[in-house]
Amino acid sequence: MATEPSAKVIDGKAVAKQIREEISAEVSKLKDAIGVVPGLAVILVGDRKDSATYVRNKKIACESVGITSFEVHLPEDASEQEVLKYISDFNDDPSVHGILVQLPLPSHMNEQTILNAVTIEKDVDGFHPLNIGRLAMRGRDPLFVPCTPKGCIELLHRYGVEIKGKRAVVIGRSNIVGMPAALLLQREDATVSIVHSRTKNPEEITRQADIIISAVGQPNMVRGSWIKPGAVIIDVGINPVEDASSPRGYRLVGDICYEEACKVAAAVTPVPGGVGPMTIAMLLSNTLSSAKRAHNFQ
Ligand code: NAP
């Protein structure tokens, strides 16, 4: 007899909405108390449609909570010096509390040079090596934590999932998701394993996990047999797969085979509607914290 789905759905869309309402209330409080409005500057280089969509969504999200957004859109053939000049100006501008350079940058630019130029006090993406270094060190605190992994942990917190003492497996080790997610889980006292493309027995390792965070970019890679009964699963993957029945000709799926996971896991995030909406909510949260820190506002 087939097992019926029993997993709880972790509703990232609803949690993100609630967080945005909380941020909106705090932004008003900050403005009323000391007349400060948080500001986020976004630098976009080139004409990638996906990047333009992300930037537009960030702008709309800022407006919805009362954060001012500043946008710079440079052509694909802009020079690195131009980008660095904008970063320098935003670093010095007291009305800007967060600076975000939309990735990927055109291939003639050095991503490391550009990301390093953002002052760590405004590094709301949390990608500056000093912020990542502090995240990795015991007894140190980063000023900002990268938004997507922070959103994953926030979902676990808001759903009352205990992390301390649990076995966690992070699948993927990218600088922007997998690696900081593993560091965050470790800071919360989980015992963490990282599975990557060279891992010999990913299924066996993943099956030991009480908590799985997957950030790979391979549709439906994690099957039901990879999952320990009762595990909690956070699926970061966003993968387009062909779907003739969809008007767009494709639909988005995660790294986790959702239907199978629902029969084994205790809780799982859907794609879309899981981690995705949390990323922008965490960006707004980081921008608000930055403004509060800059003005010593509790
Ligand atoms: P990435 O930079 O391409 O990293 C992918 C990671 O997965 C790498 O560490 C790679 O290992 C590992 N990997 C690849 N194939 C694997 C396999 N067969 N088995 C085990 N590990 C494997 O990707 P990313 O930027 O971290 O993004 C990952 C996914 O998350 C993508 O689908 C992306 O669209 C999505 N994403 C979503 C959000 C959101 O807001 N929800 C934000 C960012 C990214 P190696 O290190 O060995 O190469």
Side-chain angles (χ1 to χ4, degrees):
M1 202 177 72
T3 328
E4 287 306 312
S6 59
K8 183 191 282 183
V9 177
I10 298 179
D11 187 346
K13 206 171 159 188
V15 174
K17 182 170 178 281
Q18 193 187 334
I19 291 172
R20 279 152 75 147
E21 283 164 11
E22 291 163 14
I23 291 171
S24 186
E26 285 208 51
V27 168
S28 299
K29 211 167 100 185
L30 182 66
K31 189 177 173 192
D32 292 347
I34 56 170
V36 169
V37 177
L40 174 68
V42 181
I43 301 174
L44 171 65
V45 189
D47 295 315
R48 280 180 66 119
K49 273 196 181 146
D50 55 346
S51 294
T53 305
Y54 294 140
V55 168
R56 192 170 55 246
N57 289 343
K58 284 166 190 169
K59 196 173 172 185
I60 293 168
C62 280
E63 281 162 11
S64 76
V65 298
I67 291 176
T68 306
S69 66
F70 304 84
E71 193 188 325
V72 171
H73 189 173
L74 296 170
E76 180 79 22
D77 60 358
S79 69
E80 203 172 286
Q81 283 313 314
E82 276 176 89
V83 179
L84 291 172
K85 173 78 174 75
Y86 277 105
I87 293 176
S88 166
D89 289 350
F90 286 136
N91 279 342
D92 294 338
D93 184 342
S95 58
V96 171
H97 303 97
I99 303 170
L100 186 153
V101 181
Q102 185 64 44
L103 300 177
L105 286 161
S107 53
H108 66 278
M109 291 189 185
N110 183 329
E111 183 183 299
Q112 204 174 319
T113 308
I114 288 177
L115 293 185
N116 287 0
V118 175
T119 176
I120 65 161
E121 283 80 16
K122 300 188 182 186
D123 174 40
V124 284
D125 252 343
F127 295 155
H128 194 289
L130 273 176
N131 276 322
I132 293 285
R134 290 183 185 188
L135 183 67
M137 291 172 83
R138 287 184 71 88
R140 307 284 174 90
D141 286 313
L143 295 179
F144 303 99
V145 171
C147 300
T148 301
K150 185 177 174 181
C152 296
I153 302 296
E154 188 68 25
L155 282 176
L156 294 173
H157 286 165
R158 296 220 177 200
Y159 273 80
V161 177
E162 192 169 350
I163 303 176
K164 190 175 181 172
K166 300 291 180 186
R167 282 207 79 140
V169 168
V170 178
I171 316 179
R173 56 177 168 178
S174 70
N175 286 342
I176 62 168
V177 193
M179 177 267 289
L183 293 174
L184 278 171
L185 286 164
Q186 186 170 265
R187 284 176 84 93
E188 300 243 353
D189 295 326
T191 300
V192 184
S193 302
I194 299 170
V195 167
H196 50 75
S197 68
R198 305 283 190 273
T199 302
K200 291 270 187 277
N201 46 356
E203 178 172 346
E204 193 186 307
I205 294 170
T206 306
R207 206 171 29 235
Q208 295 172 17
D210 302 304
I211 297 168
I212 300 171
I213 296 182
S214 182
V216 176
Q218 299 277 347
N220 300 321
M221 185 183 89
V222 177
R223 308 297 303 263
S225 61
W226 292 42
I227 300 165
K228 174 171 150 180
V232 174
I233 305 177
I234 306 292
D235 189 355
V236 182
I238 304 178
N239 311 297
V241 292
E242 269 184 40
D243 181 357
S245 67
S246 153
R248 295 180 295 186
Y250 72 93
R251 70 193 156 90
L252 297 177
V253 301
D255 297 338
I256 311 282
C257 181
Y258 186 74
E259 290 73 23
E260 293 181 10
C262 281
K263 295 178 185 162
V264 192
V268 57
T269 56
V271 176
V275 176
M278 292 296 289
T279 298
I280 289 190
M282 294 300 105
L283 175 67
L284 302 176
S285 160
N286 280 352
T287 307
L288 170 65
S289 317
S290 179
K292 284 164 81 173
R293 183 162 42 225
H295 294 275
N296 212 1
F297 185 83
Q298 298 303 318

